């Protein structure tokens, strides 16, 4: 349990974050955090972002890029897929976007004019589309088949497969795993993707969530930069938070000291990197802020205490530490 000063700081926030603090860090009764979550579409971030949706169901007139983006300058984060990602992550109910799935069925990707809910050739885009489609009730079952068909020999995925890459990337693999876990959680269909997800997890675990196999060095310069929103890059906190979600899906209601298994020890060094970034007051700082247009910022600037990063890092450490608090004769 976190101290009162820190919990009060986190609770003084938008409903999109506050309900997750209530559920994940404070273990409040379900009716309390669900009442807060219900406010997401009508208050703060959720209401503002929903207000930017166009009559055709899109944001900024485009599927992945705004309609006026010509490929010059930083990637904008205002188009449809990015807006849906945020609303889903904030816990907005699908009912708040009634009719959106049907409207987007006539939208086309910028790449090869492919239909929106059919996905395209990019692993990360397809992972986001799978999660968003499941949430909104669109038919995205074909994207699951696509992932099974495009898993690489090393167990992961790579958005650059279309350009001939035969080795996976951390970022693409994590996004694929998140989408496939969402599929299992929402459909209950474990057998269809369980083996593929296990191979993808092993890809990350063999690398301790951050190392290149070839050199043992960190995979790239931002792998330890803990930032929110993550959007289009990989870091160890995002990976650890995925493994926490996957573990809670496996155990049903989350881990207790009575569980007889612990998270894979190969995550240990990454967990301690996350722990070491905690400030003396219990907060974590924003690692960096990606360039590119946004509708509005939802978190602190670079170098300032971040409520979103603090939420994610705290719940990861609570999960990890709870698992390792079990007596050794109960751990396997």
């Amino acid at each position: 349990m976190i101290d009162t000063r820190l919990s009060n700081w986190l609770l003084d926030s938008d409903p999109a974050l506050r309900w997750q603090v209530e559920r994940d860090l404070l273990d409040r009764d379900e009716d309390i955090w669900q009442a807060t979550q219900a406010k997401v579409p009508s208050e703060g971030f959720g209401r503002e972002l929903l207000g930017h949706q166009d009559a055709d169901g899109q944001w900024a007139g485009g599927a992945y890029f705004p309609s006026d983006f010509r490929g010059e300058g930083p990637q904008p984060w205002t188009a449809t897929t990015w807006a849906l990602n945020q609303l889903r992550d904030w816990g907005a109910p699908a009912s708040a976007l009634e009719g959106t799935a049907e409207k987007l069925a006539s939208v086309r990707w910028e790449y090869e004019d492919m239909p929106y809910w059919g996905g395209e050739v990019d692993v990360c885009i397809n992972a986001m589309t799978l999660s968003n489609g499941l949430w909104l009730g669109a038919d995205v079952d074909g994207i699951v088949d696509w992932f099974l068909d495009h898993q690489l020999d090393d167990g992961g995925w790579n958005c650059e497969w279309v350009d001939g890459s035969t080795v996976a990337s951390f970022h693409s693999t994590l996004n694929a795993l998140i989408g496939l876990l969402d599929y299992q959680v929402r459909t209950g269909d474990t057998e269809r993707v369980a083996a593929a997800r296990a191979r993808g997890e092993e890809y990350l675990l063999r690398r301790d969530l951050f190392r290149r196999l070839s050199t043992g060095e960190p995979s790239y310069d931002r792998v330890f930069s803990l930032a929110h929103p993550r959007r289009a890059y990989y870091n160890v906190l995002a990976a650890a938070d995925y493994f926490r979600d996957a573990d809670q899906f496996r155990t049903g209601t989350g881990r207790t000291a009575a569980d007889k298994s612990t998270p894979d020890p190969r995550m240990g060094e990454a967990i301690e990197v996350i722990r070491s970034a905690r400030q003396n007051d219990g907060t974590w700082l924003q690692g960096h802020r990606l360039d590119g247009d946004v509708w509005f910022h939802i978190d602190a600037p670079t170098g300032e205490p971040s409520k979103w990063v603090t939420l994610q890092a705290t719940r990861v450490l609570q999960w990890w530490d709870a698992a390792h608090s079990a007596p050794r004769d109960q751990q396997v």
Side-chain angles (χ1 to χ4, degrees):
M1 186 66 68
I2 62 177
D3 66 51
T4 301
R5 184 208 54 81
L6 184 60
S7 65
N8 286 342
W9 177 70
L10 288 168
L11 290 169
D12 183 19
S13 57
D14 190 271
L17 185 147
R18 191 164 66 247
W19 74 266
Q20 298 183 65
V21 174
E22 293 171 340
R23 182 193 65 179
D24 297 341
L25 303 188
L26 303 179
D27 196 27
R28 292 193 171 169
D29 290 342
E30 190 172 291
D31 60 340
I32 294 176
W33 64 258
Q34 286 185 344
T36 304
Q37 183 181 9
K39 298 176 182 179
V40 171
S42 58
E43 297 183 12
F45 299 155
R47 180 178 64 184
E48 184 168 354
L49 189 53
L50 285 168
H52 289 290
Q53 187 178 22
D54 298 326
D56 64 359
Q58 297 189 94
W59 279 260
Y64 189 77
F65 299 108
S67 58
D68 59 358
F69 183 63
R70 299 294 177 263
E72 299 176 357
Q75 156 88 57
W77 313 107
T78 52
T80 303
T81 295
W82 302 107
L84 292 178
N85 290 348
Q86 289 204 302
L87 288 164
R88 174 174 48 81
D89 287 344
W90 294 341
S95 59
L97 292 97
E98 186 175 358
T100 295
E102 292 77 12
K103 291 176 180 178
L104 295 183
S106 62
V107 168
R108 298 283 169 164
W109 291 105
E110 292 83 359
Y111 182 88
E112 298 291 341
D113 201 37
M114 301 173 77
Y116 191 83
W117 292 125
E120 51 131 281
V121 300
D122 184 279
V123 172
C124 298
I125 290 175
N126 283 353
M128 294 182 282
T129 306
L130 175 59
S131 293
N132 290 335
L134 290 165
W135 165 52
L136 295 180
D139 181 5
V140 288
D141 211 52
I143 299 179
V144 178
D145 293 329
W146 185 93
F147 275 109
L148 300 182
D149 291 341
H150 288 81
Q151 191 167 24
L152 300 173
D153 289 343
D154 59 10
W157 289 263
N158 194 325
C159 293
E160 297 179 2
W161 73 271
V162 71
D163 295 320
S165 179
T166 59
V167 295
S169 80
F170 285 81
H171 180 60
S172 301
T173 299
L174 176 60
N175 284 340
L177 287 171
I178 291 171
L180 292 174
L181 178 60
D182 280 347
Y183 172 77
Q184 288 188 252
V185 170
R186 290 184 180 272
T187 68
D189 186 348
T190 300
E191 293 184 3
R192 187 178 181 196
V193 301
R197 200 159 62 80
R199 290 180 61 215
E201 290 177 352
E202 181 63 18
Y203 172 88
L204 296 179
L205 291 167
R206 285 188 66 202
R207 293 157 176 81
D208 302 330
L209 305 190
F210 67 90
R211 297 185 190 281
R212 294 183 183 276
L213 278 187
S214 57
T215 65
E217 295 298 314
S219 58
Y220 78 127
D221 58 353
R222 282 184 169 173
V223 73
F224 299 135
S225 180
L226 312 184
H228 187 86
R230 179 173 67 92
R231 293 196 172 104
Y233 88 107
Y234 175 94
N235 68 51
V236 292
L237 178 56
D241 210 18
Y242 159 79
F243 278 100
R244 171 189 172 275
D245 286 343
D247 186 52
Q248 292 196 325
F249 170 66
R250 182 185 63 79
T251 59
T253 58
R255 182 177 294 280
T256 70
D259 286 323
K260 293 189 177 182
S261 64
T262 56
D264 195 294
R266 290 173 290 181
M267 287 187 276
E269 190 171 354
I271 293 292
E272 294 312 311
V273 168
I274 295 168
R275 194 189 307 275
S276 70
R278 181 167 52 192
Q279 304 300 296
N280 290 335
D281 61 0
T283 66
W284 274 258
L285 305 182
Q286 180 77 273
H288 67 274
R289 178 176 279 177
L290 292 175
D291 294 332
D293 290 342
V294 296
W295 290 111
F296 50 89
H297 290 294
I298 65 168
D299 204 1
T302 302
E304 295 189 10
S306 161
K307 292 183 179 181
W308 285 99
V309 176
T310 300
L311 161 68
Q312 293 161 356
T314 303
R315 70 187 178 194
V316 162
L317 293 185
Q318 285 187 347
W319 161 70
W320 181 268
D321 292 344
H324 289 82
S325 69
R328 289 190 179 275
D329 61 1
Q330 290 186 1
Q331 297 180 8
V332 295

